Amino acid sequence: MIKSKFVATGIAVTMLFSACKTKDLKMSEVKQENSKEQKVVVYQVFTRLFGNKNKTNKPWGTIEENGVGKFNDFTDKALHEIKDLGVTHIWYTGVPHHALVRDYTAYGISNDDPEVVKGRAGSPYAVKDYYNVNPDLAVNPANRLQEFEDLIARTHKAGLKLLIDIVPNHIARKYEGKNNPEGVKDFGADDDITVEYKRDNNFYYIPNSHFEIPEGDIPLNGEKNALVDGVFDENPAKWTGNGSRKVKPDQNDWYETVKVNYGVRPDGTKDFPELPAGFDQKSYKEHFAFWQDKDVPDSWKKFKSIALYWTAKGVDGFRYDMAEMVPYEFWSYMNSAVKMKNPDAFLLAEVYNPNEYRNYIRLGKMDYLYDKVETYDKLKDIIRGKSSPDGLSDIQKGMEDIEHHMLHFLDNHDEQRLASPEFAGTPERGKPLMVVSTTLSTSPTMVYFGQEVGEAGNENAGFGTRSRTSIFDYIGVPSHQKWMNEGKFDGGQLSDSEKALRDFYKRLLNFSLKSSALMGSFQEIQSVNRQNTAGYDELIYSYVRWSENQKLIVTANFSSEKTSEFDLKIPADVISKWNFKDGEYQLTDQLYKTTSVKLIVKNGEGSARIKILPSESFIFELKI
């Protein structure tokens, strides 16, 4: 989640409740309940932007000026092409109905105050009604839920599974559940607003105080709007989504949202049952059974109902925003309930504190967490000339027991675009990062739409600024629009270099789906080559991956300027594990199948002469 116009996804550790800070548990490895036999590839799309064909891109533009994508833009053809890219899951970002500045009163939807909305199109992480979808995304807003249900059906027909967002830590300041199922009350409906905290209150309050709008940017860039009057009626004021307890939040606070209370007292202590010792070893079924006779806070029940509602509609999983700001006991409660309905549900969480990873996986029953602050940040530092690739091996070793759960990505809605000057600078310089990110571990790989054709996020959208594709504005995505080709989804407007880039992604992702070695063992061979190999330049990185039926050697050149030539060493312990005898073996690159070299094994050690061009990578498979 982008927290504000100014601050991208950071490590929000300083804002976490102390209740969510637990010691790093030294747990033994437990059997993966949903271990996969093949790689998983997630394709994230910002739903509002994906199908937008309008190229005007006026800062602060309206829908009429800049256009907007719809659910119906995900045609059978579009979904087929996404699947064909090498994708297993599609994450539709921004589906639940969130606060935005547009008049939908004809459909029974109240207007949102621009003073507590980020941008014009609004943040997808300020959800206004969890039981319906964003009216911007529908051809007929009155029929918006049916249009999304039709998209669920088309997605499944294409052989893809789908995720949507759930944002348990906070909701829009003006939440209105106008589509609640029978028996579901609105957030805050039964709260005691005379006190700061009560366990079954949905919010935290600042009694006897009116909310004050933060100082900062002029809403809608100064455009006149009847609701822009310097006042937002919230009495008493509530805590802001990032935990700010100020009546008047700062402009960098998540001022468009209010924090949800999960039974964590203001001093950080827990006001709910805790999981017994040893539950890091228990299955989701045992977690589910544990909660059946427990009295839990009301907010827990409300969010479980939301997750089960969408699960029943065919949604295959969820991406949980800022999950570490909610106690892992709640996640145990909700995720185990989801798994009881769909054992194959894909549950992905945004967690940035490495000391908490194992708690949220093993006690919170998450399937996957972002590998942001370690692998992603390291790769970004490497390509920006701030770090050596050698440390990647230590990161992998440190997460050996949980590596399958740590989703790899180089691009998403929060981060600077891979091809932007602030990151890799060119799409081609991002290619070795993508090879390493995809092949380093057994974890899922995630690609953000447009990444595969080199989208650089250069637009000044208004509230959102360049280097990130704005999630707050109505905007077009130029490189993606060229691939979309007015709805043909055939890449007809792409340049030759953009076509070549998409071909690279397609080859890499599809290889990863079929490779048994990438779901097998890993061993770094970086240290032996760094210490002993002449010509092994500082921006080269190498490792091996293998299964019983497949042996791979991966070498990447992070330099965009230097060609390297060296005798790559395969140490004796790897040769022994592979049961190779002395002799010659053929290595063939699996990306393009045009490069072959010989592996010579002599006295139990291997060596292969490698010449690698700038920004080139090889995934060599041994022909046995």
Side-chain angles (χ1 to χ4, degrees):
M1 170 190 180
I2 292 184
K3 311 307 177 247
S4 73
K5 178 177 178 179
F6 309 98
V7 183
T9 302
I11 305 173
V13 174
T14 57
M15 296 185 286
L16 298 183
F17 275 18
S18 60
C20 296
K21 291 227 183 236
T22 57
K23 63 182 180 180
D24 184 10
L25 303 180
K26 303 298 183 184
M27 306 173 188
S28 60
E29 185 173 1
V30 296
K31 184 178 184 298
Q32 316 297 354
E33 288 178 310
N34 64 333
S35 59
K36 304 293 183 184
E37 294 302 319
Q38 72 165 67
K39 270 273 191 177
V40 170
V41 176
V42 179
Y43 190 75
Q44 183 193 2
V45 295
F46 201 82
T47 315
R48 182 205 306 143
L49 304 181
F50 178 86
N52 184 20
K53 304 177 186 69
N54 188 308
K55 299 177 181 178
T56 304
N57 285 356
K58 174 186 174 182
W60 291 96
T62 64
I63 280 181
E64 289 74 20
E65 292 168 323
N66 283 359
V68 69
K70 305 290 185 181
F71 292 130
N72 287 1
D73 292 320
F74 293 90
T75 61
D76 290 338
K77 169 67 171 173
L79 292 167
H80 170 80
E81 291 298 325
I82 291 170
K83 167 82 169 174
D84 201 44
L85 183 65
V87 172
T88 59
H89 293 64
I90 185 165
W91 165 19
Y92 293 114
T93 306
V95 167
H97 182 185
H98 60 78
L100 53 88
V101 183
R102 185 167 169 78
D103 188 347
Y104 285 110
T105 53
Y107 303 96
I109 299 169
S110 65
N111 286 325
D112 291 299
D113 189 329
E115 293 158 303
V116 288
V117 174
K118 286 181 176 172
R120 184 186 298 277
S123 167
Y125 299 105
V127 176
K128 177 174 178 169
D129 185 350
Y130 261 114
Y131 291 101
N132 215 320
V133 298
N134 182 357
D136 278 351
L137 303 178
V139 174
N140 177 6
N143 198 37
R144 60 193 184 278
L145 186 57
Q146 183 61 55
E147 289 189 29
F148 179 59
E149 290 174 347
D150 292 343
L151 175 57
I152 294 174
R154 288 198 303 280
T155 304
H156 288 157
K157 178 184 173 185
L160 293 162
K161 294 188 176 182
L162 71 139
L163 321 176
I164 64 170
D165 296 275
I166 292 183
V167 191
N169 179 66
H170 47 274
I171 59 176
R173 287 215 105 93
K174 187 182 180 182
Y175 188 96
E176 290 183 337
K178 295 191 173 183
N179 301 278
N180 292 347
E182 186 175 350
V184 174
K185 290 189 176 182
D186 233 0
F187 284 95
D190 294 329
D191 281 10
D192 179 353
I193 63 175
T194 67
V195 295
E196 181 180 34
Y197 168 83
K198 185 176 283 188
R199 192 198 75 156
D200 287 313
N201 277 359
N202 296 135
F203 306 121
Y204 299 91
Y205 294 91
I206 309 171
N208 306 312
S209 301
H210 288 262
F211 171 79
E212 297 179 28
I213 294 168
E215 296 176 0
D217 289 335
I218 301 171
L220 300 179
N221 202 35
E223 177 184 312
K224 290 190 179 300
N225 183 290
L227 293 176
V228 177
D229 56 5
V231 176
F232 178 77
D233 185 18
E234 182 180 288
N235 182 29
K238 303 179 181 77
W239 288 16
T240 295
N242 62 312
S244 171
R245 308 181 190 190
K246 298 176 183 176
V247 169
K248 184 176 185 176
D250 183 81
Q251 65 172 336
N252 288 318
D253 288 325
W254 310 344
Y255 59 83
E256 80 281 25
T257 67
V258 292
K259 184 165 180 65
V260 176
N261 166 28
Y262 282 86
V264 179
R265 300 182 185 94
D267 66 2
T269 57
K270 297 177 178 180
D271 197 4
F272 48 76
E274 297 189 46
L275 292 166
F279 258 66
D280 58 294
Q281 303 287 334
K282 302 290 187 182
S283 69
Y284 71 80
K285 292 180 181 178
E286 291 169 296
H287 278 245
F288 179 77
F290 171 79
W291 293 110
Q292 292 314 293
D293 61 353
K294 303 299 186 296
D295 182 28
V296 299
D298 183 71
S299 295
W300 293 30
K301 300 172 187 176
K302 281 187 165 62
F303 270 97
K304 183 178 80 168
S305 294
I306 290 164
L308 294 181
Y309 171 84
W310 290 109
T311 298
K313 286 193 177 295
V315 171
D316 300 294
F318 304 102
R319 182 268 191 184
Y320 297 130
D321 186 81
M322 290 311 298
E324 67 186 304
M325 296 186 77
V326 178
Y328 58 76
E329 289 89 348
F330 160 74
W331 294 115
S332 164
Y333 169 82
M334 185 165 90
N335 287 342
S336 63
V338 171
K339 291 286 190 179
M340 291 299 290
K341 295 294 185 183
N342 178 9
D344 295 323
F346 185 104
L347 305 178
L348 168 64
E350 187 183 23
V351 174
Y352 296 124
N353 181 356
N355 291 332
E356 291 294 324
Y357 287 167
R358 289 160 183 82
N359 289 334
Y360 281 84
I361 293 166
R362 294 172 177 164
L363 297 173
K365 309 313 290 179
M366 294 295 184
D367 294 321
Y368 305 107
L369 312 180
Y370 277 19
D371 189 356
K372 195 274 181 194
V373 301
E374 296 192 273
T375 302
Y376 169 90
D377 282 354
K378 180 68 171 176
L379 288 169
K380 190 171 186 179
D381 282 348
I382 293 166
I383 206 65
R384 294 169 77 196
K386 296 183 176 183
S387 182
S388 160
D390 295 3
L392 285 165
S393 301
D394 293 331
I395 291 172
Q396 186 71 1
K397 183 174 179 58
M399 292 193 292
E400 188 174 7
D401 60 322
I402 58 170
E403 58 87 25
H404 178 68
H405 298 278
M406 303 305 297
L407 174 134
H408 286 188
F409 64 92
L410 294 171
D411 211 335
N412 69 31
H413 68 279
D414 277 339
E415 307 298 344
Q416 292 172 319
R417 282 287 194 172
L418 176 61
S420 71
E422 291 78 5
F423 194 164
T426 70
E428 288 71 28
R429 291 188 77 226
K431 288 166 75 172
L433 281 73
M434 190 63 199
V435 169
V436 171
S437 181
T438 302
T439 64
L440 190 65
S441 78
T442 69
S443 69
T445 302
M446 187 168 78
V447 175
Y448 191 34
F449 84 113
Q451 177 185 342
E452 72 277 20
V453 289
E455 176 56 42
N458 283 323
E459 290 65 49
N460 172 17
F463 190 87
T465 54
R466 65 167 315 283
S467 85
R468 294 174 177 83
T469 296
S470 176
I471 67 170
F472 306 113
D473 303 279
Y474 299 113
I475 197 75
V477 183
S479 296
H480 168 73
Q481 287 176 324
K482 291 199 285 183
W483 171 76
M484 188 168 55
N485 192 19
E486 302 299 327
K488 296 185 182 72
F489 300 101
D490 60 3
Q493 298 178 28
L494 294 176
S495 67
D496 288 345
S497 63
E498 289 164 338
K499 289 177 181 177
L501 183 70
R502 193 172 192 277
D503 176 67
F504 160 80
Y505 274 85
K506 187 173 182 177
R507 289 171 181 270
L508 174 62
L509 295 177
N510 277 286
F511 172 78
S512 77
L513 293 183
K514 299 169 186 173
S515 171
S516 62
L518 295 185
M519 297 307 293
S521 299
F522 164 91
Q523 185 168 323
E524 64 94 12
I525 57 172
Q526 183 74 357
S527 54
V528 68
N529 282 283
R530 175 65 68 225
Q531 295 163 12
N532 302 301
T533 301
Y536 194 81
D537 292 316
E538 60 180 355
L539 290 177
I540 302 294
Y541 185 67
S542 303
Y543 49 95
V544 294
R545 301 296 313 277
W546 74 92
S547 63
E548 183 177 353
N549 300 317
Q550 188 179 45
K551 310 292 186 285
L552 301 176
I553 300 171
V554 182
T555 297
N557 184 4
F558 291 114
S559 172
S560 59
E561 300 174 353
K562 192 170 187 180
T563 295
S564 295
E565 195 165 356
F566 48 86
D567 291 316
L568 183 70
K569 292 177 173 55
I570 311 300
D573 60 338
V574 173
I575 298 298
S576 176
K577 289 172 185 175
W578 289 358
N579 294 315
F580 279 16
K581 307 295 184 184
D582 283 8
E584 292 188 1
Y585 300 84
Q586 183 173 316
L587 301 176
T588 303
D589 172 50
Q590 297 302 296
L591 282 175
Y592 293 99
K593 309 274 186 151
T594 56
T595 302
S596 293
V597 300
K598 287 184 178 179
L599 172 69
I600 299 172
V601 178
K602 185 176 180 180
N603 298 324
E605 295 184 342
S607 178
R609 187 69 179 171
I610 305 292
K611 180 179 180 181
I612 189 166
L613 300 176
S615 299
E616 190 171 32
S617 302
F618 295 123
I619 305 174
F620 287 119
E621 181 173 0
L622 277 83
K623 187 174 182 180
I624 303 172

